[in-house]
Amino acid sequence: MPAPAPNTLIDGRYKVLRRLGSGGMADVFLAEDQQLGRQVALKLLHERFAADPDFVERFRREAQAAAGLQHPNVVSVYDRGRWDDSYYIAMEYLPGRTLKDLIIQEAPLDPVRAIDITLQILKAARFAHRRGVIHRDLKPHNVIVDASDQAKVTDFGIARAGASDMTETGSIMGTAQYLSPEQAQGHAVQAGSDLYSIGVVLYEMLTGQVPFDGDAAVTIALKHVSEPPRPPHELNPRIPPDLDQVVLWVLNKDPAYRPRSADELISALESVRASLLSGEPAQHTAAMAALAAGAAVGAMPYAEPSTNGTGEHYRERERGWVPWLIGLLVVLLLAGGAAAAYLLTRPAQATVPPVTGKQLNVARDIVQNAGFQVAVINVPSERSAGVVIGEDPSGGSTADKNSTVSLSVSQGPSAVNVPSVVGQSQSAAQQALRRAHLKSRVVNRPSSQFPLGQAIGTDPRSGQAVAPGTQVTLFISSGPPKKQVPDVTGESAGAARTQLTNAGFTVSATNQTSNTSTPGNVLSQSPAGGTSAAPGSTVNIVVAQAPKKVSVPSVVGEKAAAAANQLTGAGFKVVRQKQNVTDPTQNGQVIKQTPAGGKKVAPGGTVTIVVGHLAPPSSSTTPTTSSSSTTPTTSSSSTTTAGVPAP
């Protein structure tokens, strides 16, 4: 199967961006999750493994186990699936460098820095061990370190979950330079095997070299089983004796004489770290050395503790009871002398007060008042910052007065993963971020995929590791993107409705009487034309309607004042005109109206009434000799308004 080219879509979801690297079992690509819009590291299983049903089943089950490891120092596994006759795992993408790259570029590292990185690896291993998962391939290549030395362990691809029957007896999986002796022999591996590998990583950080190397993997494996490691301080004299002793302790050939758990190794390294920072000797290492030596004598009849101080726990000696008895007597005599000297010179002792769970300033005062010195070790923790989460020696135990009590103080989580909130309501998404010790800032964005009020995503993206208290931008859907509303004013109602519907809006129409606009045309709209509105929202249009017609009262024959009152009472405006009449009975009466009485017209219109005006008699006549005629009276008319008496 050829490697996928850039822009290849894996399983219809992951678009390949570029190749990140290749390992013994898989190629790793940077890809973009098209559903969640985030970058992932996509591990694609090599074809030769994909064709092995047993390996595929182990791959499936162990990927599932790894996906359950959600921890600040473990690279998250998001998804797994099948593509093009192979299988993949989608993991958290981290842009940092591998610890192997850091070692190549900067080793040997400062002891405190090396301890800090190792503690993070141990916390990841401890988290996995408590859930029954053994990594089995812990090496600097599988640790990603960012610019601030925050470390995350990756590649649980050959991890064993519990007592998995998918691991074949006698098989060796892992990288030779970092294999535990029992793993190199094909024996069952436990948590102590991971601790041995971590010890090799610490050795390499401190010295720039692995303790065992060779031309072939088998050669290296045999050295793990049979050869003692060279003490680290011989390669790097800056390594303090306490740290040198811890490294050799964890590299013991026999798992029974290594640290019993990640917790025990963490405690020893934290004690050494505190001593390096305070300048005082560590207390854990002395007890550790005594325990290891005593266990060795009782458990190994053909080995005895080393007395040269180099940390080599055992050396072969000749068989026979006489040398063994002599050695035992010497040890007993020396131990008896040392015990007597200690009893004569030991300082006064006191009980260490229990202060776990208290604030640092309170705990410091209590411990100092009890007669002890205080050393503070800041460690990442889910507990609130400033709270004491451990003490060494433990509270209630007895220790020399004026000795140092190391207080492990929470500095809060070293890193938290941004939770996935896609599809949640705004309130639920904000609550999820608060639970992850993160702040939130809401930004509304249009979305055709997510309904109004639902979370679209975050920045930083979900799964990304950030410092506690980081402000995360929470994108909330404001609904589909808005569209421009067409301007339909002045158009007919039918044309306006068609245009708005085609633009993706619904239409609601109301009528309004208008004396000035053409009936059936749009008078106004809301939202106004040219503004933006959500698709599917309603645009209200107001349609012009002709006013309802009413009958004009008939006022012909009535007195002008009464006629004007009747017309104005019916809602009309009145215009008066006068016309000369000769009939006295028509004087002051309405002799004509326009529009005529009974005609249907729009309310509020104007009615013109003509009022009779009696003309005065003629003052002279002109006689003629040939004929006579009467000069007719010339009619005249004038216009007045309602309410003004005619002259």
Side-chain angles (χ1 to χ4, degrees):
M1 178 190 68
N7 296 321
T8 299
L9 197 61
I10 303 292
D11 203 11
R13 177 172 179 177
Y14 302 102
K15 184 172 76 172
V16 174
L17 301 179
R18 59 183 172 88
R19 188 191 196 98
L20 292 176
S22 182
M25 295 187 301
D27 293 318
V28 183
F29 299 88
L30 176 62
E32 183 172 317
D33 185 340
Q34 300 297 289
Q35 291 186 14
L36 300 180
R38 65 183 175 188
Q39 290 187 336
V40 299
L42 200 70
K43 176 171 286 190
L44 196 61
L45 192 63
H46 287 164
E47 186 176 8
R48 65 181 183 276
F49 293 113
D52 182 345
D54 291 338
F55 193 94
V56 168
E57 177 61 15
R58 179 164 57 244
F59 182 82
R60 183 191 68 80
R61 289 177 55 176
E62 293 167 357
Q64 185 174 1
L69 300 178
Q70 300 296 320
H71 186 271
N73 297 118
V74 176
V75 174
S76 299
V77 174
Y78 299 140
D79 189 18
R80 59 179 174 81
R82 181 173 182 173
W83 177 80
D84 198 16
D85 297 327
S86 188
Y87 298 83
Y88 69 84
I89 298 176
M91 304 179 298
E92 176 184 5
Y93 169 63
L94 300 172
R97 54 182 171 170
T98 68
L99 180 56
K100 186 65 176 180
D101 291 334
L102 186 150
I103 291 172
I104 292 172
Q105 296 163 9
E106 301 183 28
L109 303 187
D110 174 78
V112 172
R113 185 185 182 193
I115 290 174
D116 286 341
I117 294 174
T118 305
L119 287 173
Q120 296 180 71
I121 301 172
L122 280 167
K123 288 172 183 177
R126 176 179 64 184
F127 184 81
H129 294 168
R130 288 175 177 175
R131 284 150 182 81
V133 177
I134 311 300
H135 192 290
R136 298 197 298 169
D137 194 22
L138 283 167
K139 56 186 178 182
H141 313 67
N142 289 338
V143 179
I144 308 298
V145 183
D146 67 14
S148 58
D149 277 356
Q150 296 297 312
K152 284 200 173 192
V153 178
T154 185
D155 199 359
F156 280 81
I158 63 169
R160 181 166 64 81
S164 169
D165 57 4
M166 303 307 298
T167 302
E168 298 179 5
T169 303
S171 65
I172 300 175
M173 303 188 77
T175 304
Q177 286 87 348
Y178 306 92
L179 286 177
S180 65
E182 60 272 19
Q183 195 173 356
Q185 297 175 82
H187 296 164
V189 296
Q190 299 296 334
S193 306
D194 278 352
L195 300 185
Y196 183 95
S197 299
I198 295 172
V200 175
V201 174
L202 176 58
Y203 188 107
E204 188 177 9
M205 283 193 285
L206 292 170
T207 66
Q209 302 178 28
V210 290
F212 305 111
D213 209 347
D215 296 332
V218 173
T219 303
I220 301 170
L222 289 174
K223 290 181 179 180
H224 279 291
V225 173
S226 60
E227 291 187 13
R230 186 178 178 186
H233 78 271
E234 293 184 7
L235 300 173
N236 179 9
R238 292 190 305 145
I239 300 173
D242 290 342
L243 182 55
D244 198 75
Q245 194 173 35
V246 171
V247 174
L248 294 171
W249 179 36
V250 75
L251 292 181
N252 204 301
K253 306 296 182 188
D254 189 339
Y257 302 128
R258 294 179 204 145
R260 290 167 293 182
S261 65
D263 277 319
E264 189 169 20
L265 183 53
I266 288 171
S267 179
L269 286 174
E270 286 179 340
S271 180
V272 172
R273 184 184 187 278
S275 72
L276 291 176
L277 296 176
S278 65
E280 298 181 1
Q283 298 180 13
H284 266 92
T285 51
M288 176 201 71
L291 175 63
V297 170
M300 304 282 289
Y302 299 108
E304 63 183 359
S306 167
T307 58
N308 59 13
T310 64
E312 296 178 22
H313 291 263
Y314 310 110
R315 68 171 183 263
E316 295 296 329
R317 67 179 181 81
E318 64 187 76
R319 295 176 180 267
W321 65 271
V322 174
W324 177 82
L325 180 59
I326 294 173
L328 178 61
L329 289 173
V330 171
V331 170
L332 291 175
L333 288 172
L334 290 174
Y342 174 72
L343 290 172
L344 293 173
T345 61
R346 70 176 179 180
Q349 293 194 317
T351 300
V352 177
V355 293
T356 300
K358 299 183 182 298
Q359 289 291 328
L360 173 61
N361 55 349
V362 175
R364 190 198 303 271
D365 291 343
I366 293 174
V367 174
Q368 289 176 340
N369 290 339
F372 299 97
Q373 302 294 320
V374 174
V376 176
I377 305 172
N378 291 310
V379 294
S381 166
E382 296 299 323
R383 299 287 300 275
S384 300
V387 174
V388 177
I389 59 175
E391 54 185 307
D392 181 34
S394 59
S397 62
T398 302
D400 294 341
K401 276 197 170 185
N402 206 38
S403 63
T404 298
V405 175
S406 298
L407 301 181
S408 298
V409 180
S410 172
Q411 61 184 19
S414 60
V416 295
N417 290 332
V418 178
S420 176
V421 296
V422 174
Q424 297 182 13
S425 67
Q426 178 177 329
S427 58
Q430 288 179 305
Q431 185 176 3
L433 291 171
R434 283 194 297 271
R435 285 197 300 266
H437 307 289
L438 300 171
K439 301 175 183 177
S440 61
R441 177 178 72 96
V442 174
V443 173
N444 293 310
R445 278 190 176 177
S447 172
S448 300
Q449 181 181 0
F450 296 94
L452 176 69
Q454 280 193 1
I456 302 171
T458 56
D459 182 24
R461 294 173 176 148
S462 63
Q464 186 170 338
V466 297
T470 297
Q471 185 179 73
V472 175
T473 301
L474 175 61
F475 298 112
I476 299 296
S477 172
S478 57
K482 293 185 176 182
K483 292 184 176 182
Q484 190 175 55
V485 179
D487 187 353
V488 295
T489 54
E491 298 184 17
S492 68
R497 187 181 295 273
T498 299
Q499 188 174 352
L500 291 169
T501 302
N502 290 341
F505 299 99
T506 58
V507 181
S508 174
T510 57
N511 295 322
Q512 179 178 309
T513 301
S514 174
N515 293 322
T516 58
S517 296
T518 303
N521 284 2
V522 176
L523 293 172
S524 62
Q525 66 180 90
S526 178
T531 60
S532 296
S537 60
T538 300
V539 177
N540 298 296
I541 59 173
V542 178
V543 181
Q545 185 180 39
K548 186 177 180 181
K549 293 184 178 182
V550 296
S551 296
V552 178
S554 178
V555 294
V556 174
E558 297 186 14
K559 291 294 185 181
N565 288 336
Q566 186 177 352
L567 291 168
T568 55
F572 295 99
K573 298 174 184 177
V574 179
V575 175
R576 291 187 186 188
Q577 293 179 351
K578 67 179 180 176
Q579 182 176 319
N580 290 338
V581 295
T582 57
D583 184 354
T585 62
Q586 292 182 327
N587 187 41
Q589 286 186 346
V590 177
I591 59 176
K592 185 180 178 182
Q593 71 179 82
T594 304
K599 187 174 182 180
K600 296 282 189 179
V601 297
T606 299
V607 178
T608 300
I609 58 174
V610 179
V611 181
H613 177 67
L614 186 63
S618 176
S619 59
S620 62
T621 60
T622 306
T624 63
T625 59
S626 58
S627 64
S628 65
S629 66
T630 303
T631 304
T633 303
T634 302
S635 297
S636 64
S637 66
S638 63
T639 302
T640 63
T641 58
V644 180

